[in-house]
């Protein structure tokens, strides 16, 4: 399955999406999802939650030293 993602404004409850040439004569599935804008307060809460865990979680692909390996 090939996907095409775009953001468009809805005008008078009508949405017009111009697809790339790869979609010519293709059968498509359409899913419409309303995007909620995050309020500044919500954004602040999310950032605060992330800061709370800073330093606890190891970065991806982290390789422990030999000492850390034995202490686990």
């Amino acid at each position: 399955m090939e996907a095409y993602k775009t953001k468009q404004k809805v005008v008078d409850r009508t949405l017009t999406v111009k697809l790339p040439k790869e979609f010519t004569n293709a059968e498509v599935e359409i899913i419409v999802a309303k995007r909620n804008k995050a309020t500044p307060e919500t954004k602040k809460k999310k950032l605060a939650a992330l800061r709370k865990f800073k330093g606890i979680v190891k970065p991806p692909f982290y390789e422990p030293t030999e000492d850390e390996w034995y202490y686990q």
Side-chain angles (χ1 to χ4, degrees):
M1 177 186 255
E2 189 176 342
Y4 176 69
K5 184 176 180 180
T6 183
K7 293 181 194 175
Q8 296 284 342
K9 286 282 186 185
V10 176
V11 178
D12 194 30
R13 294 186 333 229
T14 303
L15 180 65
T16 304
V17 179
K18 187 163 184 157
L19 298 171
K21 288 186 179 185
E22 299 89 49
F23 286 85
T24 303
N25 296 326
E27 185 175 315
V28 297
E29 177 181 352
I30 299 169
I31 300 171
V32 179
K34 184 177 177 184
R35 182 175 290 241
N36 294 328
K37 293 182 181 179
T39 62
E41 185 178 314
T42 306
K43 231 178 197 181
K44 286 180 184 177
K45 287 180 183 177
K46 288 180 182 179
L47 288 173
L50 288 174
R51 283 190 202 103
K52 180 178 161 186
F53 293 104
K54 185 178 178 183
I56 294 174
V57 179
K58 301 278 191 233
F61 308 114
Y62 174 79
E63 293 195 26
T65 62
E66 196 171 315
D67 291 336
E68 286 179 311
W69 185 260
Y70 288 114
Y71 287 126
Q72 291 184 9

